[in-house]
Amino acid sequence: MKLLIKKNFLFRNMNMRNKLLIIFIMIGLVPVLFFSAFFFQQSKSAFEDELGKYTMEISKQVGGRLDAFVQEMERVSNIIRFNPDVQTVLYEWTEERTSPSIYAERNVRSLFENIGNFRDDFKGIFLVTDRGLLVYNGTDEVAKLNYNFSESAWYQAVKEQTSFRLNTAHPQTYVKGEEVVTFSVRLTDNREFKSKGTLLIDFTPHTILRMSENIQLGKSGHVWMMTPEGEPVVSSQQMPDWLEDEELLREIQEEPSGFFHFEYAGMQMLAGFYTSSETGWKIIGSVPFEELAYGLYRIRTFIVLLAVGALIAIVFLATALSRMITKPLKVMERRMVEVGKGNFEKRLPVMARDEIGRLSISFNRMIAMLHRMNNEVFQSQLREYQQQIHLKNTEMRALQAQINPHFLYNTLNTIACIAEVYDRDEIAEISQSLSRMLQYSITGGLTATVEEELSHLQSYMSIVNVRFPMKFDLKLRVDPGIRRMRFLKLVFQPIVENAVNHGCAGVDKGHIVVEARFDGETAIFAFMDDGIGMTQEKLLSVQERLRTKEMDSDTSTTVNHIGLRNVYHRLYRLYGEQFSMTIWSKPQQGTKIEIRIEGGVADAKGVDRG
């Protein structure tokens, strides 16, 4: 399952050309392979059937020769058994031989000689009466006249048969003992209608063997004869080893004729068999399949060459077709890459009116529309950007004016008065503090460390305390861990200045507390005074003005709250939704301003100072 998923994943991520190439090859190759295999299998099956039938016909041909031989012997036997002299021998013979019987024996022997002269494979013709008389014609061999045939099992089987019988090879023990094949038939006395003797016609085993010797069955094929019981007809003829297989032997014994395939000694074999109608013997021919199947192998070679040629043609055509289909897509892909880089000038060539051509037309329309929309968006963004630049320049100019001109004016008047009247050291202190404030305001980037912001605040309070001796008390509650954190510049001083000018106006002694700490990941900055505070209506008005983007047209309101509003909007632009400012105030109980930065502020070492 995992392998299938992996292959499916690889196919999905393959480029279109390779996908089409694989699909075209599969569509073309699979039918070719299927029909080639089907055609070869059908040809092989038909070829095997024909070869099987051919093998069976060979066996049938040998069986036909055997049957013809038996029929010939039947005719010869009929000539002998119906011969009058043979009938006389059967009827007249007694131990006291008479002239008719002796004359008849001589004529029978002459008949046997005449018949024997027609074939060179005769080993003798014997007439054996049940009383023991032996009349024969041999091949210069003397038969045993007193031989007891009844002791031979094969002879007993002959006597039990009433019809013609071709016996398997056996020793000719009644002559010299050589192996012979005997054709036999029982002889009947036509006068008394009784079986009184047996006719034996002996042949050399070669008579049977040569029936199949001139049969060509491949290079190493053979033809055998065996009895229905599975025994060889001629003992000198060795039966094949594969006949020891009981299943194969049973198939041959149960059917009159047929053919089958089997494997023997690592080779595919083909066997055909036929049953002789005259003898019941099985004629079997077997041959290695490859010796007869050279035509089939030529067909297989032709099919393989055809499949290889078809594969080459399919690959060539599939490659050309996939290239032709994917070429416009590749051009479109490269054009899309150029469009992604911002080049809207070029258009796709429309080379056809098919689906890809229509897609190219739609793509060109889309590019034109994107080009127009891109120009419109660019112009809109340019105008918006210009407005933002103008707004930021305005804000920056406002931020540069964080130090109240009235404060600078009063400070300078104070310095002048002290210098003329008192001639005191405060002049040096206030001058240095003012110098540090101005330097901090106009140098560096938008951010500084909390430590630097506190130093700027202390410089401011030094000047305030010179102007208003003993009137304001500033306390700092700052966690050591937050001092090195980076924070927006000019936040602490405007808020404290607002407390000095408005929160503590009209009080004898004003106390101002500044806290800076961490609450988990949140940085908290709090500014508290014990001044006159604000009513609920005024507090809501201040909070509402802090959140408006436009500057107030009221000059007094702008002067009183420009520092706090600037601080609010600058913090919001820098920290976004992480920033929040909360103001608490009640009349005659003072005011508290708390700034929270969710997630803390950046380490001073990791922030660019601008």
Side-chain angles (χ1 to χ4, degrees), residues 12 17 37 72 75 77 112 114 127 191 204 209 255 268 322 331 346 355 376 465 486 511 549 566 576:
R12 286 202 311 269
R17 181 178 174 182
E72 180 184 355
R75 289 193 293 270
S77 299
F112 287 174
N114 291 332
L127 190 156
R191 300 175 187 177
T204 63
L209 295 178
E255 299 294 334
Q268 291 295 323
S322 63
V331 174
K346 294 183 179 180
E355 288 80 358
E376 293 175 357
N465 287 330
R486 181 67 69 171
H511 297 85
K549 295 182 179 180
N566 277 333

Side-chain angles (χ1 to χ4, degrees), residues 195-349:
S195 294
K196 294 184 177 181
T198 304
L199 176 64
L200 303 178
I201 304 176
D202 291 345
F203 303 89
T204 63
H206 186 68
T207 302
I208 302 300
L209 295 178
R210 68 182 179 185
M211 293 181 182
S212 60
E213 281 183 349
N214 57 349
I215 299 297
Q216 186 67 28
L217 193 57
K219 295 180 180 180
S220 59
H222 297 280
V223 178
W224 297 273
M225 293 185 187
M226 73 175 188
T227 64
E229 293 77 20
E231 298 296 330
V233 173
V234 179
S235 60
S236 60
Q237 188 178 34
Q238 185 178 1
M239 301 298 290
D241 295 338
W242 58 265
L243 282 176
E244 296 178 1
D245 189 324
E246 295 181 358
E247 184 176 352
L248 295 178
L249 181 60
R250 188 182 309 111
E251 182 176 354
I252 294 174
Q253 290 175 332
E254 291 177 354
E255 299 294 334
S257 63
F259 60 91
F260 54 88
H261 306 270
F262 63 96
E263 184 174 348
Y264 173 71
M267 292 191 304
Q268 291 295 323
M269 302 291 293
L270 181 64
F273 60 93
Y274 174 78
T275 304
S276 171
S277 59
E278 298 292 339
T279 64
W281 293 352
K282 297 287 185 177
I283 296 89
I284 307 166
S286 68
V287 62
F289 182 77
E290 62 179 8
E291 292 187 9
L292 300 179
Y294 60 92
L296 178 64
Y297 296 136
R298 291 180 59 188
I299 294 176
R300 182 178 64 182
T301 303
F302 173 75
I303 291 176
V304 171
L305 293 177
L306 180 64
V308 172
L311 175 60
I312 295 174
I314 289 170
V315 171
F316 176 77
L317 294 176
T319 302
L321 188 59
S322 63
R323 183 185 294 111
M324 182 177 64
I325 293 176
T326 58
K327 184 178 180 179
L329 297 178
K330 295 294 290 185
V331 174
M332 185 178 296
E333 180 184 12
R334 290 194 295 269
R335 189 68 192 92
M336 286 182 176
V337 173
E338 293 179 3
V339 171
K341 295 178 180 179
N343 183 3
F344 296 94
E345 300 300 329
K346 294 183 179 180
R347 295 293 184 266
L348 283 175

Side-chain angles (χ1 to χ4, degrees), residues 399 402 440 446-449 452-454 456-457 487-498 514 525-527 563-564 566-572 574-575 579 581 593-595 597:
L399 293 176
Q402 283 298 313
Y440 181 74
L446 294 176
T447 61
T449 63
E452 292 172 339
E453 185 71 2
L454 291 173
H456 176 70
L457 176 60
F487 190 59
L488 185 64
K489 288 176 64 174
L490 298 175
V491 173
F492 293 178
Q493 181 266 329
I495 296 176
V496 173
E497 181 180 1
N498 191 68
V514 177
F525 303 95
F527 306 87
L564 191 58
N566 277 333
V567 168
Y568 181 89
H569 288 290
R570 288 166 58 222
L571 286 170
Y572 183 79
L574 183 60
Y575 297 109
F579 156 73
M581 176 184 286
I593 299 175
E594 183 178 276
I595 298 172
I597 308 296

Side-chain angles (χ1 to χ4, degrees), residues 583-603:
I583 304 176
W584 295 275
S585 184
K586 287 186 179 181
Q588 307 306 320
Q589 294 186 15
T591 301
K592 178 181 178 181
I593 299 175
E594 183 178 276
I595 298 172
R596 301 176 69 91
I597 308 296
E598 299 292 338
V601 291
D603 191 335

